[in-house]
């Protein structure tokens, strides 16, 4: 049985995504919604799945592993939180994309593990655009160097970039963060490097996804606005 609250929330989000996409001259279909399922129990995730959401985002390896086995095989899992190098092996065959690549060492391990499976792993570079100390991600000025190195890894497909904007009561305050990353994204896309497609820009959460879409995001990661407030803060 589909949870009616979750259904209403998704109806609402999809119409807001559509409006924001149209505002930036795109279609709603050009923007992928990832349901962020951290702390959310399996039954409620299943409601989102039944609604038609196939992309799920988790930021912890353990939680992803537990839920992965309980949901339908057609779900695509996205690792969106900080990933320790020694945990790559647990998720390499379970995720569709890793959004949080923030070191060469991590990329190297992903490449090696993907090679063993004979697959190419989709990754995004996490960029800390605002330079907030509490956030993971590489500095915007380091992006070119990272892209160059990663483009030489044969079992990685660098699909784009991800960022988490600082929290702001008014999302207008972080519009510039999204704009900056979009510029960088276009810049790299035009270089047409090996193993680098730059077709995804993952930015925008419950609090700021409309502004992110207006500035070019084509993946948004939304938790709270779908499933409600999480039990504990700061997760
Ligand atoms: C939790 C989380 C989200 C979703 O945040 P909401 O504000 O609940 O929509 C998106 N991205 C990352 C990386 C997260 O950890």
């Amino acid at each position: 049985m589909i949870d009616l609250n979750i259904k209403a929330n998704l109806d609402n989000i999809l119409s807001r995504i559509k409006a924001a996409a149209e505002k930036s001259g795109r279609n709603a279909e050009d923007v992928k919604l990832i349901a962020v399922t951290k702390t959310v129990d399996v039954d409620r995730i299943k409601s989102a799945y039944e609604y038609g959401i196939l992309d799920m985002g988790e930021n912890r390896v353990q939680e992803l592993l537990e839920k992965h086995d309980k949901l339908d095989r057609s779900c695509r899992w996205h690792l969106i939180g900080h990933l320790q190098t020694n945990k790559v092996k647990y998720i390499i065959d379970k995720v569709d994309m890793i959004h949080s690549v923030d070191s060469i060492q991590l990329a190297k391990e992903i490449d090696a593990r993907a090679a063993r499976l004979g697959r190419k792993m989709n990754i995004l570079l996490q960029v800390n655009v605002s330079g907030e100390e509490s956030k993971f991600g590489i500095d915007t000025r380091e992006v070119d160097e990272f892209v160059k190195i990663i483009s030489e890894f044969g079992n990685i497909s660098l699909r784009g970039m991800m960022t988490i904007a600082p929290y702001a009561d008014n999302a207008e305050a972080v519009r510039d963060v999204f704009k900056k990353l979009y510029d960088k994204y276009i810049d790299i896309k035009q270089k047409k490097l090996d193993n680098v497609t730059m077709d995804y820009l993952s930015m925008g959460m419950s609090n700021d996804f409309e502004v992110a879409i207006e500035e070019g995001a084509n993946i948004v990661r939304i938790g709270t606005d779908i499933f409600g407030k999480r039990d504990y803060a700061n997760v």
Side-chain angles (χ1 to χ4, degrees), residues 36 38 59 80-81 162 164 205-207 221-225 230 235:
V36 176
K38 62 190 177 197
N59 62 347
I80 60 173
M162 177 273 236
I164 304 171
M205 306 172 29
S206 294
N207 200 48
R221 311 174 309 266
I222 301 180
T224 309
D225 275 8
R230 288 179 288 276
V235 182

Side-chain angles (χ1 to χ4, degrees), residues 1-3 6 42-52:
M1 268 286 282
I2 194 159
D3 178 314
I6 291 174
V42 167
D43 279 344
R44 293 167 68 235
I45 303 173
K46 281 183 178 163
S47 272
Y49 174 78
E50 279 174 41
Y51 183 95

Side-chain angles (χ1 to χ4, degrees), residues 10-95:
L10 282 164
D11 282 342
N12 176 270
I13 289 163
L14 291 182
S15 74
R16 287 163 65 195
I17 288 176
K18 184 166 186 283
E22 284 168 0
K23 220 166 152 181
S24 67
R26 293 179 296 158
N27 302 315
E29 301 78 61
D30 299 335
V31 180
K32 188 201 282 280
L33 168 62
I34 293 182
V36 176
T37 55
K38 62 190 177 197
T39 79
V40 177
D41 60 60
V42 167
D43 279 344
R44 293 167 68 235
I45 303 173
K46 281 183 178 163
S47 272
Y49 174 78
E50 279 174 41
Y51 183 95
I53 305 298
L54 298 186
D55 290 276
M56 311 298 174
E58 277 289 341
N59 62 347
R60 293 194 178 149
V61 166
Q62 190 56 41
E63 218 175 316
L64 187 149
L65 295 176
E66 284 164 19
K67 292 171 182 174
H68 178 273
D69 290 343
K70 294 184 185 139
L71 273 113
D72 195 272
R73 287 273 150 219
S74 59
C75 283
R76 294 180 290 255
W77 291 87
H78 299 257
L79 200 279
I80 60 173
H82 185 64
L83 176 60
Q84 287 172 290
T85 303
N86 63 0
K87 293 195 174 159
V88 172
K89 56 179 177 284
Y90 303 121
I91 58 145
I92 192 75
D93 59 340
K94 308 228 163 32
V95 298

Side-chain angles (χ1 to χ4, degrees), residues 166-204:
Y167 179 84
D169 284 329
N170 180 354
E172 284 303 329
V174 292
R175 185 181 286 276
D176 238 34
V177 167
F178 300 133
K179 209 184 276 250
K180 262 193 193 148
L181 197 60
Y182 179 77
D183 287 347
K184 194 80 220 165
Y185 164 81
I186 292 297
D187 187 42
I188 295 169
K189 199 181 177 71
Q190 283 165 348
K191 292 184 180 162
K192 300 195 169 27
L193 300 163
D194 287 346
N195 305 319
V196 180
T197 52
M198 280 288 144
D199 45 357
Y200 288 126
L201 195 51
S202 169
M203 49 187 203

